[in-house]
Amino acid sequence: FFLACVNDVPHMMVLRTLNGLALATLAPVSQVIIAGCTRPEERGSYFGRCGMWMMLGSLVSSIFAASISNKTIFGFNGWRVAFSGVAMLSLLLALMLAKLMEEKPQQQTKAVRFNHELETFFRFLRIRSFAVIAIQGMFGTIPMSAMTFCTMFFQYTGMRDTDAAVLYSLMLMAVAVGRLIG
């Protein structure tokens, strides 16, 4: 919500960083929930469905945000309305999850030490197949990250906001289908 209220770049950078950190926790949290609620032989299917729904959520929010980004709505810039709308929906979802989700009692876990986790990571890197997969994953995310600027690129080339959003959403639909069947 605060992103819709700032007017200067330094504050926007801080808030976008915090927003990115919060969003980065969504996939691991959803994976923990799925792993705790499903049988091992069903997990792949549920992970695929979760990935598909995440892409469809991105698709809907991209169409909504891009379509209103350059408009004035109730006297506010459209991009500010989009940020506020996403914030309100996120808060609503968080409240619903807190109210409706039953959490199973967790086993006692030992404290996590950073040095131990780092040692484990480097031990895994000695396994060549793991190292190749990890490196491919790091470089494989670059094109998809660059694709997040497609809507803005399409808008700058003169495409109408709604058309740019729909064109970008086609890629997101393809990713959603790929996650579902992959």
Side-chain angles (χ1 to χ4, degrees):
F1 176 75
F2 295 116
L3 279 168
C5 300
V6 297
N7 290 317
D8 59 291
V9 174
H11 287 107
M12 177 81 72
M13 290 173 58
V14 169
L15 290 172
R16 289 292 292 163
T17 300
L18 293 172
N19 182 256
L21 289 170
L23 289 174
T25 65
L26 289 178
V29 167
S30 65
Q31 290 170 357
V32 167
I33 292 170
I34 290 170
C37 297
T38 59
R39 295 191 313 261
E41 61 271 11
E42 297 175 326
R43 287 184 188 146
S45 172
Y46 281 99
F47 285 141
R49 290 179 193 165
C50 183
M52 178 197 70
W53 284 109
M54 287 169 61
M55 283 295 102
L56 291 177
S58 294
L59 182 149
V60 170
S61 62
S62 294
I63 289 175
F64 165 70
S67 297
I68 68 169
S69 63
N70 290 314
K71 293 183 168 73
T72 300
I73 300 168
F74 301 118
F76 297 100
N77 294 336
W79 66 270
R80 291 182 189 272
V81 173
F83 273 131
S84 297
V86 169
M88 285 186 252
L89 288 173
S90 298
L91 287 173
L92 178 65
L93 177 63
L95 291 171
M96 286 173 46
L97 285 174
K99 181 77 174 159
L100 301 174
M101 190 171 155
E102 294 179 26
E103 191 170 352
K104 294 179 182 179
Q106 299 292 320
Q107 299 175 1
Q108 289 289 359
T109 57
K110 60 181 180 177
V112 176
R113 290 187 353 262
F114 180 75
N115 289 343
H116 175 70
E117 294 300 318
L118 200 57
E119 290 168 10
T120 303
F121 174 71
F122 284 121
R123 197 168 50 247
F124 274 122
L125 282 181
R126 287 191 208 117
I127 303 169
R128 287 187 177 151
S129 58
F130 176 83
V132 168
I133 291 170
I135 291 169
Q136 182 277 331
M138 287 187 293
F139 288 106
T141 60
I142 293 171
M144 195 64 184
S145 296
M147 294 292 187
T148 61
F149 295 102
C150 282
T151 304
M152 184 174 61
F153 172 76
F154 296 147
Q155 289 169 319
Y156 284 164
T157 60
M159 195 177 282
R160 290 184 333 191
D161 293 344
T162 306
D163 294 341
V166 169
L167 186 57
Y168 180 66
S169 71
L170 293 174
M171 181 197 66
L172 294 176
M173 279 194 289
V175 172
V177 170
R179 288 190 176 184
L180 182 63
I181 64 175

